[in-house]
Amino acid sequence: MAWMLRTNHAREGSIIRGELHWTCGDQPSGWIGYTAFMHEVGGERLELSYTNTRQGERLEKRQTVYLTHTVPNYGGKRWWMLCPVSARRVGKLYLPQGGDIFASRQAWRLGYQSQRDVPRDRPFERLFRLQKKLGCEQGWEQPIFKPKGMWERTWQRHLAEYWKLDEQCAIEMAAVMARFSR
């Protein structure tokens, strides 16, 4: 919801209609139509329309997601969606493969990526995250470079972390290779 407000896909006091499209690789892979009704105090909602494919059959779906807000101590409003299943206040809703409605992570019992990572993959994931943060190509033993404008002490901290993670990755790879050579 915060993204929609930041990018003017929704605006308090207005009704805004639109579509969101996304791709997988270079191929279009999905779209969703929405109407953000934010003009009625207490009746704020998103109406979603999308196509869902189940067992080869395409179904046109419509779903209403009600909105609410809180007032943080620093002022302004923070908008939330109410999960249609659990009525929880959430920032994101999900539609997993095989699902039929958008609902919260808890309603779908979805875990975080980090919960699915095997311990031996964690140094690689942290290394790739650091490389992405620095704008470098991701991969084990890929070089990193100092981004323009980065403070030297920040760069030195990232560089130390990079070498520590590179060493952990090497240890994990050696263990994997040892298992294969038996």
Side-chain angles (χ1 to χ4, degrees), residues 101-135:
I101 63 167
F102 283 89
S104 67
R105 177 185 297 280
Q106 293 84 0
W108 282 114
R109 295 183 179 157
L110 298 175
Y112 292 99
Q113 176 65 41
S114 61
Q115 292 172 311
R116 294 189 300 269
D117 287 344
V118 207
R120 73 167 178 263
D121 291 341
R122 289 187 185 132
F124 292 96
E125 292 298 326
R126 289 178 56 206
L127 179 75
F128 299 160
R129 207 168 30 251
L130 175 62
Q131 290 169 328
K132 183 177 180 181
K133 180 179 186 176
L134 296 173

Side-chain angles (χ1 to χ4, degrees), residues 8-119:
N8 282 327
H9 286 88
R11 189 171 36 257
E12 195 170 349
S14 302
I15 299 174
I16 297 179
R17 290 177 175 77
E19 288 183 354
L20 301 173
H21 300 264
W22 57 92
T23 60
C24 184
D26 292 336
Q27 302 300 315
S29 69
W31 71 272
I32 186 166
Y34 69 90
T35 305
F37 291 96
M38 307 262 316
H39 66 294
E40 296 176 33
V41 176
E44 297 91 342
R45 66 193 183 280
L46 289 175
E47 291 191 359
L48 309 174
S49 59
Y50 53 96
T51 304
N52 194 349
T53 305
R54 271 195 124 162
Q55 299 170 343
E57 184 182 347
R58 293 173 56 95
L59 304 169
E60 294 294 323
K61 299 288 288 186
R62 295 183 86 59
Q63 181 178 352
T64 300
V65 177
Y66 292 96
L67 306 174
T68 187
H69 71 274
T70 54
V71 179
N73 291 333
Y74 48 83
K77 286 184 180 179
R78 169 122 193 235
W79 286 93
W80 302 91
M81 292 175 274
L82 294 176
C83 173
V85 175
S86 66
R88 277 187 149 145
R89 228 175 31 200
V90 295
K92 291 182 181 179
L93 296 176
Y94 300 85
L95 179 64
Q97 191 168 1
D100 56 349
I101 63 167
F102 283 89
S104 67
R105 177 185 297 280
Q106 293 84 0
W108 282 114
R109 295 183 179 157
L110 298 175
Y112 292 99
Q113 176 65 41
S114 61
Q115 292 172 311
R116 294 189 300 269
D117 287 344
V118 207

